[in-house]
Amino acid sequence: MAKIVVLDGYAACPDDPEFACYRVLGEEIAVYARTAQQEAAERIGDAQAVLTNKVLITREVMERCPALRYVGVLATGYNVVDIAAAREHGITVTNVPAYSTQAVAQHVVALLLHELSRVASYDAQVKAGRWSACGDFCFFSDPMEEAAGKRFGIVGFGHIGQAVARAVTGLGMEAQVYTPHPPREAPEGVRFVPLGTLLETSDVISLHCPLTEQTRALIGADAIARMKPGMRVINTARGPLVDSRAMAEALRAGKVACYMADVLEKEPPQADDPLLNAPNTVITPHVAWAPKQTRERLVGIAMENLRAWMDGHPQNVVSA
């Protein structure tokens, strides 16, 4: 029987105070709602398996927990684990791929339509009495725009990037994609372009690439300078893909018309995050992945990963 520790169970199961979602295996399991980084090694202790979302499993943690043989990441991205150290210590690392594809694509479209259709603003004005007071059957205040005919740039073409492409082409937008390794044939309605072309010709850019040293601050001052005036940028991938200060300056200057993000450089954000006080932003608190059905899928696949490892046939391994 394996001893299992869940370090940060709350994010996936906020509506399950007993964390029954993690106890389906019937093993010896300790579930913590949250774990500070300095508590990680002590809480793992002599456990053979650990599940983590955002708590880092570093080389130091592995060295302090010699019984550890399995790390299950409760997410698709696995940059929270030192993969090289895991290999050296004989630790299997798994992730949960593609569980949130439709949820994140839905959130991207929600952010886009929030900006173009001004639904929230009009709702607030109607309830404040402005429509009642105007005297006409319709009331105009905020300018609205059609999505159709705009060029939508997608950086990264994994599961989510592909789902977003399908969604925006369904709105009549032209999807153009930058990816380092494009497939030989583009899906209908999609064309692959160099990053420079995407930056210079898109009306909207949406980020769907992993965070690496090469992509950190991908959208910085130089990239923004190449964009068309009045650009809109959507980031539901990772906060550090965007240089926050450069983006805030571009918003104040009007070079970028709107920055829509579900992620920030530091989460939760600090009070001095430059994007919190920048104009023309729409920021949601890292919830694109989090509809109830999506979280249930995440936990279900994570449990299947753990069970498969215990049975000697690990799946979704990222440390091979």
Side-chain angles (χ1 to χ4, degrees), residues 143-272:
M144 302 164 66
E145 300 179 45
E146 289 187 351
K150 294 187 185 300
R151 189 169 289 160
F152 194 98
I154 300 171
V155 179
F157 206 56
H159 293 290
I160 295 174
Q162 293 173 46
V164 169
R166 292 191 294 270
V168 299
T169 55
L171 293 172
M173 305 183 82
E174 177 187 339
Q176 57 180 14
V177 174
Y178 166 71
T179 179
H181 307 289
R184 291 186 177 182
E185 294 187 11
E188 184 178 355
V190 174
R191 67 187 185 108
F192 294 105
V193 297
L195 179 60
T197 301
L198 184 142
L199 293 171
E200 293 164 3
T201 62
S202 296
D203 299 300
V204 183
I205 291 176
S206 190
L207 303 177
H208 300 288
C209 55
L211 176 62
T212 66
E213 287 310 307
Q214 289 70 42
T215 61
R216 185 177 295 274
L218 178 71
I219 305 301
D222 291 343
I224 292 170
R226 300 182 68 173
M227 295 177 184
K228 297 164 59 175
M231 263 289 305
R232 294 170 168 114
V233 179
I234 302 174
N235 185 7
T236 55
R238 289 290 183 267
L241 294 172
V242 173
D243 182 326
S244 296
R245 295 193 180 280
M247 180 58 69
E249 291 174 5
L251 288 162
R252 290 190 180 93
K255 179 64 184 281
V256 174
C258 185
Y259 180 59
M260 296 157 273
D262 186 52
V263 288
L264 292 173
E265 285 193 70
K266 292 184 178 179
E267 298 172 346
Q270 298 180 348
D272 61 352

Side-chain angles (χ1 to χ4, degrees), residues 9-87:
Y10 173 80
C13 297
D15 44 6
D16 181 4
E18 300 301 321
F19 295 109
C21 57
Y22 293 108
R23 304 184 189 280
V24 295
L25 295 178
E27 300 291 326
E28 181 183 355
I29 183 166
V31 184
Y32 298 95
R34 302 169 184 85
T35 294
Q37 186 60 48
Q38 63 269 23
E39 299 174 315
E42 180 180 353
R43 288 188 169 179
I44 295 169
D46 61 352
Q48 293 82 45
V50 62
L51 300 181
T52 183
N53 189 318
K54 291 293 182 287
V55 180
L56 304 180
I57 308 300
T58 63
R59 180 181 295 273
E60 179 187 0
V61 169
M62 295 176 200
E63 290 173 351
R64 291 179 59 189
C65 303
L68 188 61
R69 289 293 174 267
Y70 175 84
V71 177
V73 180
L74 293 164
T76 300
Y78 48 89
N79 55 304
V80 296
V81 182
D82 186 330
I83 297 296
R87 293 192 187 107

Side-chain angles (χ1 to χ4, degrees), residues 283-299:
I283 301 173
T284 54
H286 206 141
V287 291
W289 65 282
K292 188 174 189 297
Q293 300 89 339
T294 314
R295 290 185 284 107
E296 289 173 347
R297 186 181 306 117
L298 165 68
V299 172

